[in-house]
PDB file of all heavy atoms in Angstrom:
ATOM      1  N   ASP A 287      -4.176  -9.907 -12.787  1.00  0.00           N
ATOM      2  CA  ASP A 287      -5.355  -9.663 -13.624  1.00  0.00           C
ATOM      3  C   ASP A 287      -6.621  -9.849 -12.778  1.00  0.00           C
ATOM      4  O   ASP A 287      -7.642  -9.206 -13.044  1.00  0.00           O
ATOM      5  CB  ASP A 287      -5.364 -10.577 -14.869  1.00  0.00           C
ATOM      6  CG  ASP A 287      -5.286 -12.055 -14.550  1.00  0.00           C
ATOM      7  OD1 ASP A 287      -5.187 -12.418 -13.322  1.00  0.00           O
ATOM      8  OD2 ASP A 287      -5.347 -12.862 -15.472  1.00  0.00           O
ATOM      9  N   TYR A 288      -6.544 -10.636 -11.735  1.00  0.00           N
ATOM     10  CA  TYR A 288      -7.667 -10.863 -10.813  1.00  0.00           C
ATOM     11  C   TYR A 288      -8.085  -9.510 -10.200  1.00  0.00           C
ATOM     12  O   TYR A 288      -9.267  -9.206 -10.113  1.00  0.00           O
ATOM     13  CB  TYR A 288      -7.227 -11.823  -9.708  1.00  0.00           C
ATOM     14  CG  TYR A 288      -8.241 -12.064  -8.615  1.00  0.00           C
ATOM     15  CD1 TYR A 288      -9.260 -13.000  -8.765  1.00  0.00           C
ATOM     16  CD2 TYR A 288      -8.153 -11.356  -7.414  1.00  0.00           C
ATOM     17  CE1 TYR A 288     -10.169 -13.219  -7.749  1.00  0.00           C
ATOM     18  CE2 TYR A 288      -9.062 -11.572  -6.383  1.00  0.00           C
ATOM     19  CZ  TYR A 288     -10.071 -12.517  -6.588  1.00  0.00           C
ATOM     20  OH  TYR A 288     -10.960 -12.710  -5.570  1.00  0.00           O
ATOM     21  N   PHE A 289      -7.098  -8.726  -9.786  1.00  0.00           N
ATOM     22  CA  PHE A 289      -7.373  -7.392  -9.209  1.00  0.00           C
ATOM     23  C   PHE A 289      -8.244  -6.588 -10.194  1.00  0.00           C
ATOM     24  O   PHE A 289      -9.282  -6.039  -9.819  1.00  0.00           O
ATOM     25  CB  PHE A 289      -6.001  -6.727  -8.984  1.00  0.00           C
ATOM     26  CG  PHE A 289      -6.067  -5.301  -8.452  1.00  0.00           C
ATOM     27  CD1 PHE A 289      -6.244  -5.064  -7.099  1.00  0.00           C
ATOM     28  CD2 PHE A 289      -5.922  -4.226  -9.298  1.00  0.00           C
ATOM     29  CE1 PHE A 289      -6.266  -3.764  -6.616  1.00  0.00           C
ATOM     30  CE2 PHE A 289      -5.933  -2.930  -8.830  1.00  0.00           C
ATOM     31  CZ  PHE A 289      -6.102  -2.709  -7.469  1.00  0.00           C
ATOM     32  N   PHE A 290      -7.813  -6.527 -11.459  1.00  0.00           N
ATOM     33  CA  PHE A 290      -8.526  -5.709 -12.449  1.00  0.00           C
ATOM     34  C   PHE A 290      -9.895  -6.346 -12.771  1.00  0.00           C
ATOM     35  O   PHE A 290     -10.885  -5.626 -12.924  1.00  0.00           O
ATOM     36  CB  PHE A 290      -7.704  -5.603 -13.736  1.00  0.00           C
ATOM     37  CG  PHE A 290      -6.467  -4.774 -13.560  1.00  0.00           C
ATOM     38  CD1 PHE A 290      -5.226  -5.380 -13.348  1.00  0.00           C
ATOM     39  CD2 PHE A 290      -6.532  -3.389 -13.594  1.00  0.00           C
ATOM     40  CE1 PHE A 290      -4.087  -4.620 -13.185  1.00  0.00           C
ATOM     41  CE2 PHE A 290      -5.381  -2.619 -13.419  1.00  0.00           C
ATOM     42  CZ  PHE A 290      -4.143  -3.259 -13.224  1.00  0.00           C
ATOM     43  N   ASN A 291      -9.920  -7.690 -12.856  1.00  0.00           N
ATOM     44  CA  ASN A 291     -11.179  -8.318 -13.231  1.00  0.00           C
ATOM     45  C   ASN A 291     -12.239  -8.267 -12.141  1.00  0.00           C
ATOM     46  O   ASN A 291     -13.418  -8.184 -12.425  1.00  0.00           O
ATOM     47  CB  ASN A 291     -10.925  -9.765 -13.732  1.00  0.00           C
ATOM     48  CG  ASN A 291     -10.390  -9.726 -15.153  1.00  0.00           C
ATOM     49  OD1 ASN A 291     -10.938  -9.042 -16.012  1.00  0.00           O
ATOM     50  ND2 ASN A 291      -9.309 -10.444 -15.410  1.00  0.00           N
ATOM     51  N   THR A 292     -11.785  -8.256 -10.873  1.00  0.00           N
ATOM     52  CA  THR A 292     -12.789  -8.092  -9.811  1.00  0.00           C
ATOM     53  C   THR A 292     -13.372  -6.671  -9.875  1.00  0.00           C
ATOM     54  O   THR A 292     -14.514  -6.435  -9.518  1.00  0.00           O
ATOM     55  CB  THR A 292     -12.235  -8.380  -8.415  1.00  0.00           C
ATOM     56  OG1 THR A 292     -11.105  -7.535  -8.152  1.00  0.00           O
ATOM     57  CG2 THR A 292     -11.831  -9.855  -8.257  1.00  0.00           C
ATOM     58  N   ALA A 293     -12.546  -5.732 -10.359  1.00  0.00           N
ATOM     59  CA  ALA A 293     -13.068  -4.362 -10.551  1.00  0.00           C
ATOM     60  C   ALA A 293     -14.170  -4.394 -11.586  1.00  0.00           C
ATOM     61  O   ALA A 293     -15.264  -3.815 -11.387  1.00  0.00           O
ATOM     62  CB  ALA A 293     -11.956  -3.430 -10.975  1.00  0.00           C
ATOM     63  N   VAL A 294     -13.921  -5.103 -12.693  1.00  0.00           N
ATOM     64  CA  VAL A 294     -14.949  -5.181 -13.728  1.00  0.00           C
ATOM     65  C   VAL A 294     -16.224  -5.829 -13.171  1.00  0.00           C
ATOM     66  O   VAL A 294     -17.326  -5.318 -13.369  1.00  0.00           O
ATOM     67  CB  VAL A 294     -14.422  -5.993 -14.938  1.00  0.00           C
ATOM     68  CG1 VAL A 294     -15.501  -6.144 -15.999  1.00  0.00           C
ATOM     69  CG2 VAL A 294     -13.181  -5.352 -15.535  1.00  0.00           C
ATOM     70  N   PHE A 295     -16.072  -6.902 -12.409  1.00  0.00           N
ATOM     71  CA  PHE A 295     -17.230  -7.575 -11.800  1.00  0.00           C
ATOM     72  C   PHE A 295     -17.988  -6.619 -10.872  1.00  0.00           C
ATOM     73  O   PHE A 295     -19.202  -6.562 -10.893  1.00  0.00           O
ATOM     74  CB  PHE A 295     -16.799  -8.810 -10.978  1.00  0.00           C
ATOM     75  CG  PHE A 295     -16.734 -10.051 -11.806  1.00  0.00           C
ATOM     76  CD1 PHE A 295     -15.540 -10.522 -12.295  1.00  0.00           C
ATOM     77  CD2 PHE A 295     -17.904 -10.777 -12.078  1.00  0.00           C
ATOM     78  CE1 PHE A 295     -15.488 -11.702 -13.077  1.00  0.00           C
ATOM     79  CE2 PHE A 295     -17.859 -11.952 -12.825  1.00  0.00           C
ATOM     80  CZ  PHE A 295     -16.642 -12.389 -13.337  1.00  0.00           C
ATOM     81  N   ALA A 296     -17.223  -5.920 -10.037  1.00  0.00           N
ATOM     82  CA  ALA A 296     -17.859  -5.052  -9.057  1.00  0.00           C
ATOM     83  C   ALA A 296     -18.651  -3.933  -9.733  1.00  0.00           C
ATOM     84  O   ALA A 296     -19.774  -3.638  -9.355  1.00  0.00           O
ATOM     85  CB  ALA A 296     -16.793  -4.443  -8.132  1.00  0.00           C
ATOM     86  N   TYR A 297     -18.082  -3.350 -10.772  1.00  0.00           N
ATOM     87  CA  TYR A 297     -18.792  -2.302 -11.499  1.00  0.00           C
ATOM     88  C   TYR A 297     -19.980  -2.851 -12.262  1.00  0.00           C
ATOM     89  O   TYR A 297     -21.023  -2.240 -12.363  1.00  0.00           O
ATOM     90  CB  TYR A 297     -17.859  -1.484 -12.383  1.00  0.00           C
ATOM     91  CG  TYR A 297     -16.971  -0.593 -11.582  1.00  0.00           C
ATOM     92  CD1 TYR A 297     -15.611  -0.872 -11.387  1.00  0.00           C
ATOM     93  CD2 TYR A 297     -17.501   0.527 -10.918  1.00  0.00           C
ATOM     94  CE1 TYR A 297     -14.813  -0.048 -10.618  1.00  0.00           C
ATOM     95  CE2 TYR A 297     -16.718   1.368 -10.145  1.00  0.00           C
ATOM     96  CZ  TYR A 297     -15.365   1.064  -9.974  1.00  0.00           C
ATOM     97  OH  TYR A 297     -14.596   1.868  -9.182  1.00  0.00           O
TER      98      TYR A 297
END
Side-chain angles (χ1 to χ4, degrees):
D287 57 358
Y288 175 84
F289 177 82
F290 292 99
N291 281 312
T292 57
V294 178
F295 271 100
Y297 286 107

